[in-house]
């Protein structure tokens, strides 16, 4: 049995990752922050596939909750093979119109949440000399839109952290990669997609937004043994997103 923890697995890209990993035979621990019904719905889909999915409600920005989550994983499974740090939030706003709290909220989930989970996971993986970690970045880290200074900075931090952690953990046989999606059809991008769909598509070589399953397929690859020689990379899954 191999176990995988997916943060933010109740909706969107995270839910697609939970399903992709379940199809690969992983027992999936589905973390989410608040939406019990959505999380249960994903677990039911996993059960319909004949897979196993355990729900784990916790706010990844809260160190105590993350520590409790990992203690629970220890007692229930005794091991963790894969960590996918997918939970993230968006709060686009022009910097001049923003409040300090806007930056704090984005950073506490998008980067501190990743660090909190990677710290706990790496301790367990180092002890077993095996494991794979995938952190969710964004096209915004390198090609941000207007009003994305907070989000872009947090995702840039995710990419730098991912590469540094890969250096630290490679001697212990643990791979660490990031995935940087473009515009994907989820709740998070509903407003952006509704604003000017034609303009948006013109900036994408494939002329369409992506599906969550298309990101999940790349994440699942990076989590598996097929990617045994891949670490310290940022994989772009953006249909060929062009800078302005
Ligand atoms: P989404 O549809 O808004 O779903 C976000 C998920 O994260 C939900 O399951 C939510 O759980 C969970 N979450 C949020 N804050 C959390 C916290 N503090 N602790 C635990 N879980 C938390 O987002 P998405 O579009 O699927 O995006 C997933 C990831 O991909 C994010 O990191 C995002 O930045 C990145 N990304 C998305 C796109 C895109 O186009 N959609 C593009 C680039 C990068 P609850 O509902 O229970 O709160």
């Amino acid at each position: 049995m191999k176990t995988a923890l997916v943060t933010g697995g109740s909706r969107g890209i995270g839910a697609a990752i939970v399903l992709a990993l379940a199809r690969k035979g992983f027992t999936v621990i589905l973390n989410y922050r608040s939406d019990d019904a959505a999380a249960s719905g994903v677990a039911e889909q996993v059960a319909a596939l004949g897979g196993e999915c355990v729900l784990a409600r916790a706010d990844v920005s809260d160190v105590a909750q993350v520590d409790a989550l990992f203690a629970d994983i220890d007692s229930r499974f005794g091991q963790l093979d894969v960590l996918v740090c997918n939970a993230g939030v968006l709060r686009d706003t022009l910097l001049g119109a923003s409040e300090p709290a806007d930056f704090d909220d984005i950073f506490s989930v998008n980067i501190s949440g990743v660090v909190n989970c990677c710290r706990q996971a790496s301790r367990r993986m180092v002890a077993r000399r095996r494991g794979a970690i995938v952190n969710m970045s964004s096209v915004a880290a390198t090609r941000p839109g207007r009003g994305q200074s907070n989000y872009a900075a947090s995702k840039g931090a995710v990419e730098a952290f991912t590469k540094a952690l890969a250096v630290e953990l490679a001697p212990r046989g643990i791979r660490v990669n990031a995935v940087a999606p473009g515009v994907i059809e989820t709740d998070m991008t509903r407003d952006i997609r509704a604003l000017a769909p034609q303009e948006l598509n013109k900036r994408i070589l494939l002329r369409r937004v992506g599906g969550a399953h298309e990101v999940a397929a790349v994440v699942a690859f990076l989590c598996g043994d097929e990617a045994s020689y891949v670490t310290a990379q940022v994989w772009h899954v953006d249909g060929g997103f062009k800078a302005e």
Side-chain angles (χ1 to χ4, degrees), residues 7-14 31-36 58-61 85-89 109-110 136-139 151 155 180-189:
T7 70
S10 57
R11 288 186 284 129
I13 294 170
N31 158 260
Y32 62 105
R33 176 165 54 181
S34 55
D35 193 340
D36 295 320
D59 182 338
V60 295
S61 69
C85 292
N86 164 79
V89 290
V109 179
N110 291 7
M136 200 57 72
S137 179
S138 164
V139 68
Y151 185 73
K155 294 299 189 179
V183 183
I184 307 301
E185 200 171 339
T186 69
D187 296 343
M188 184 179 275
T189 56

Side-chain angles (χ1 to χ4, degrees), residues 83-156:
L83 168 66
V84 180
C85 292
N86 164 79
V89 290
L90 182 75
R91 196 161 301 170
D92 286 359
T93 169
L94 296 176
L95 185 62
S98 72
E99 297 295 330
D102 293 328
F103 250 79
D104 293 346
D105 289 351
I106 287 278
F107 268 73
S108 69
V109 179
N110 291 7
I111 179 66
S112 295
V114 172
V115 173
N116 294 339
C117 293
C118 285
R119 182 184 296 110
Q120 288 290 351
S122 68
R123 286 177 184 154
R124 288 151 177 86
M125 291 175 178
V126 162
R128 295 178 63 228
R129 297 285 193 276
R130 58 169 294 134
I133 296 173
V134 178
N135 296 326
M136 200 57 72
S137 179
S138 164
V139 68
T142 47
R143 283 156 288 169
R146 258 168 66 85
Q148 291 202 305
S149 61
N150 54 13
Y151 185 73
S154 72
K155 294 299 189 179

Side-chain angles (χ1 to χ4, degrees), residues 7 30 38 42 58 67 77-78 94 127 137 156 160 213 216 239 242:
T7 70
L30 186 168
V42 178
D67 292 356
F77 301 102
L94 296 176
S137 179
H213 66 285
K242 296 184 282 183

Side-chain angles (χ1 to χ4, degrees), residues 38-244:
S40 299
V42 178
E44 281 167 21
Q45 289 183 59
V46 171
L49 295 171
E52 194 186 340
C53 178
V54 174
L55 301 186
R57 183 172 170 155
D59 182 338
V60 295
S61 69
D62 183 316
V63 175
Q65 290 188 36
V66 170
D67 292 356
L69 165 62
F70 276 83
D72 190 41
I73 292 172
D74 286 344
S75 62
R76 290 169 87 153
F77 301 102
Q79 70 181 65
L80 185 69
D81 300 282
V82 160
L83 168 66
V84 180
C85 292
N86 164 79
V89 290
L90 182 75
R91 196 161 301 170
D92 286 359
T93 169
L94 296 176
L95 185 62
S98 72
E99 297 295 330
D102 293 328
F103 250 79
D104 293 346
D105 289 351
I106 287 278
F107 268 73
S108 69
V109 179
N110 291 7
I111 179 66
S112 295
V114 172
V115 173
N116 294 339
C117 293
C118 285
R119 182 184 296 110
Q120 288 290 351
S122 68
R123 286 177 184 154
R124 288 151 177 86
M125 291 175 178
V126 162
R128 295 178 63 228
R129 297 285 193 276
R130 58 169 294 134
I133 296 173
V134 178
N135 296 326
M136 200 57 72
S137 179
S138 164
V139 68
T142 47
R143 283 156 288 169
R146 258 168 66 85
Q148 291 202 305
S149 61
N150 54 13
Y151 185 73
S154 72
K155 294 299 189 179
V158 167
E159 293 190 5
F161 172 76
T162 297
K163 289 177 187 174
L165 190 63
V167 170
E168 205 171 297
L169 297 181
R172 309 300 173 94
I174 300 156
R175 299 180 297 100
V176 191
N177 291 287
V179 168
V183 183
I184 307 301
E185 200 171 339
T186 69
D187 296 343
M188 184 179 275
T189 56
R190 193 180 294 119
D191 294 347
I192 299 167
R193 286 183 285 113
L195 212 57
Q198 305 305 332
E199 286 307 307
L200 188 60
N201 285 350
K202 277 187 199 155
R203 296 185 61 189
I204 303 168
L205 288 181
L206 293 181
R207 296 284 184 263
R208 65 173 178 85
V209 301
H213 66 285
E214 294 176 296
V215 179
V218 175
V219 173
F221 164 72
L222 290 170
C223 292
D225 291 339
E226 312 92 284
S228 54
Y229 200 51
V230 182
T231 195
Q233 304 302 311
V234 179
W235 286 58
H236 293 260
V237 187
D238 60 13
F241 194 88
K242 296 184 282 183
E244 276 189 286

